[in-house]
Amino acid sequence: MQTTLTEKQFKKLASLVYNESGINLSENKVSLLQARIAKRLRATRINSITEYIEYIARDQAEYTNFIDGVTTNHTFFFRENKHCEFILKTIDRTKHLKIWSAASSSGEEAYSIAVQLLSASYSFEIMGTDISATMLSIARKGVYPIERAQAIPADMLYRYFKKGMNDYQNYIKVKDEVKKHVTFTRYNLITDIAADTYDIIFCRNVMIYFDQQTKMKVVANLIKALKPSGYFIIGQSENLLGINPGLSSVTPSIYRKGS
Ligand SMILES: C[S@@+](CC[C@H](N)C(=O)[O-])C[C@H]1O[C@@H](n2cnc3c(N)ncnc32)[C@H](O)[C@@H]1O
C-alpha cells in the first residue's frame, strides 16, 4: 500500500490539475495535494496512489471528483462587500442588470449580491459558475449552516432567508424569491467560452491560483463576455499587473471595459 506521493507522482498530478483547471500547484503544495488525494483514496477505497492515478485516467467521474477535490472553495456571505456597495451607489436602477459570478464556489457571493439588489429594487439576473460540481450543488440548494449567516445584515437575513426546522434547525435557506434571480451552472474558466454578455462580472479570489499566462487567457475570455462599459471586479488581494485587456481602472479591484 503506497499512500505517500512521490515527486514523480506529484508532478504528474500537478500537471493534470494545471491542464484541466489552470490551478498552479507549486512544489510547496505537496502536503495539500497529499491530503486531498488521501480523501479520494478513502472515498474510492483505492489502496495506492499508483492505482488511483491509473483509475482517474480511465474513469471520467472520478477524474472530475479529483479536480473538484483540489479546488479551494473558501467563501462567505458579504465577502468584500465594498464591491456591491459600489454597484448600488453607481449603477442606476432603471436598467435590467445581467451579472456573472464567475468562480461562485458554494453560492454565497451570488446570493449576497442578489439580496442587496432586491432590497434596492433593482431588476437583475445573476449567473453563478464554478468548476466544482460539489460546490454548484450546494449553491443550487441554497442551504447553509446558521453560523455562516453572521455577516448577513439582520434585516436581509430576516427578509430573504428561512430558518430551518427539525433536522435543519441549525441551517438557513435562501428564499425562492431570491433564488429565482440566480442560476448556477458549471463553467471552466480556462476552457469554456461564454455564450452571453454581462453588465458586471465578478471574478474574485480565483486568479490567485493561476499563473500569469493563465490569468491573461482567463481575463481576455471574460472581457469578451463583458458589455461595453461593463464592470469587471476582482478580489481585493488580486491584481491585473502586466495584463492589458482593454480595461480602465476605477478602483484597484474594479475595472471598466473601454478607455
Ligand atoms: C476561493 S473560491 C472564491 C469564491 C468567491 N468568488 C469568493 O470570492 O468568495 C475559488 C473558486 O474558484 C473555483 N475555480 C478554480 N479553478 C476554476 C476554473 N478553472 N474554472 C472555474 N472555477 C474555478 C474553485 O472551484 C473555487 O470554488
Side-chain angles (χ1 to χ4, degrees), residues 89-196:
K89 234 179 25 221
T90 317
I91 304 186
D92 89 75
R93 54 199 74 182
T94 54
K95 163 177 170 198
H96 180 80
L97 292 180
K98 286 180 69 168
I99 300 173
W100 182 5
S101 162
S104 56
S105 187
S106 37
E108 289 89 331
E109 175 175 282
Y111 290 132
S112 301
I113 302 165
V115 295
Q116 292 175 82
L117 293 183
L118 273 176
S119 285
S121 305
Y122 278 85
S123 161
F124 68 96
E125 60 199 274
I126 303 178
M127 177 174 76
T129 62
D130 204 276
I131 197 173
S132 162
T134 312
M135 290 305 118
L136 289 168
S137 128
I138 298 173
R140 287 189 193 107
K141 284 194 187 103
V143 175
Y144 302 93
I146 204 149
E147 62 269 15
R148 300 192 55 181
Q150 274 164 11
I152 307 173
D155 58 326
M156 292 194 205
L157 183 61
Y158 179 74
R159 191 157 160 206
Y160 298 116
F161 295 82
K162 286 191 279 204
K163 186 161 176 334
M165 288 191 310
N166 305 324
D167 287 355
Y168 284 93
Q169 252 191 55
N170 296 323
Y171 291 84
I172 51 161
K173 187 175 199 297
V174 181
K175 286 190 182 168
D176 288 346
E177 63 182 282
V178 180
K179 282 175 123 186
K180 74 177 186 204
H181 294 272
V182 188
T183 51
F184 290 98
T185 186
R186 189 168 191 270
Y187 182 96
N188 185 339
L189 288 166
I190 68 154
T191 53
D192 292 329
I193 302 289
D196 211 344

Side-chain angles (χ1 to χ4, degrees), residues 17-18 20-23 67-68 70-77 79-80 101-110 129-133 135 186-192 202-210 214 218 235 238:
V17 170
Y18 181 75
E20 181 65 30
S21 69
I23 297 169
I67 298 293
D68 221 277
V70 294
T71 59
T72 299
N73 313 111
H74 178 67
T75 187
F76 48 92
F77 283 107
R79 183 177 195 181
E80 301 184 14
S101 162
S104 56
S105 187
S106 37
E108 289 89 331
E109 175 175 282
T129 62
D130 204 276
I131 197 173
S132 162
M135 290 305 118
R186 189 168 191 270
Y187 182 96
N188 185 339
L189 288 166
I190 68 154
T191 53
D192 292 329
F202 286 81
C203 183
R204 303 190 301 177
N205 303 305
V206 61
M207 286 192 282
I208 32 169
Y209 304 105
F210 297 158
T214 307
V218 167
E238 297 173 306

